[in-house]
Amino acid sequence: MKTLFIALTLAAVPVAPVSIAWSAVPAQDDAAADAKPETAAAKFNLDTPVQDIVADEQAKAALGANLPGVTTHESYESFKGMSLNQLSTYAPDLLTPEVLAKVEKGLAEVK
């Protein structure tokens, strides 16, 4: 009796045909997988702590060329862990948008 009830119940339930759509994912060749993006992020920028910039000779030179006296400033030990963007809020008269743009351009050229 139980079997008959289950069979009748299942027979009364409409069953929709099931279709599975397979999406084709284009294969990626090895050359495309190994290619680096054309616009790689700069190694140093205005959010990099000053001490990290100074640790690299090329970056230090770019910083010194556009913002001389940073590493010899009397408060260097106090602010070396901050970025130039952070420091610009404390010295907006020295770290103007124009000066920061020059520093950023110089840092972007460091490889």
Side-chain angles (χ1 to χ4, degrees):
M1 186 79 170
K2 244 187 208 183
T3 311
L4 181 60
F5 177 72
I6 293 173
L8 289 175
T9 304
L10 289 177
V13 175
V15 178
V18 177
S19 65
I20 299 174
W22 296 96
S23 63
V25 178
Q28 188 175 13
D29 62 7
D30 291 335
D34 294 337
K36 293 183 180 178
E38 291 181 29
T39 55
K43 188 174 180 181
F44 299 100
N45 58 47
L46 298 178
D47 292 318
T48 305
V50 173
Q51 64 189 1
D52 293 350
I53 294 171
V54 173
D56 182 277
E57 288 301 316
Q58 288 181 323
K60 181 179 179 181
L63 179 64
N66 296 293
L67 195 61
V70 172
T71 59
T72 57
H73 191 278
E74 60 189 31
S75 299
Y76 176 75
E77 288 299 316
S78 300
F79 67 75
K80 68 182 183 180
M82 298 174 70
S83 71
L84 292 172
N85 276 335
Q86 291 171 324
L87 286 172
S88 68
T89 60
Y90 296 103
D93 54 325
L94 297 173
L95 296 172
T96 63
E98 294 80 20
V99 170
L100 290 175
K102 287 179 185 179
V103 173
E104 185 173 39
K105 183 179 177 195
L107 292 176
E109 293 173 357
V110 175
K111 302 295 175 203

